[in-house]
Amino acid sequence: MAVAKTAESKRPPSLDFPGYAQEFLRRSPEYNRDYEGVMSDRHADPASREVMARRWGLCFPGRSVPFGA
């Protein structure tokens, strides 16, 4: 997450777009519940993780192809 440092410590840091989006999701109780529900099962179908990511507008461009795919 890219955060610009500020001279004044009282002023909140300015975030770039990905940083703002990450903060939004980090603070969202609905996202955290959804994430925990999907990620708590280590043997879950990877498609369920993909569905959750898409539901929240997440994409991972340039990701490598899973082994054996």
Side-chain angles (χ1 to χ4, degrees):
M1 175 173 63
V3 177
K5 296 189 183 225
T6 60
E8 287 183 35
S9 62
K10 295 179 183 178
R11 213 170 40 175
S14 60
L15 299 172
D16 59 3
F17 184 74
Y20 180 80
Q22 182 179 6
E23 276 300 306
F24 175 82
L25 290 177
R26 185 181 73 80
R27 295 170 188 232
S28 169
E30 294 87 11
Y31 171 77
N32 286 312
R33 277 193 300 273
D34 202 9
Y35 179 84
E36 288 299 321
V38 170
M39 299 305 276
S40 63
D41 183 3
R42 294 175 58 186
H43 303 291
D45 178 21
S48 64
R49 294 178 179 173
E50 188 70 27
V51 168
M52 190 273 304
R54 299 277 180 209
R55 182 172 35 251
W56 287 97
L58 303 175
C59 64
F60 305 98
R63 238 175 27 178
S64 60
V65 178
F67 182 73

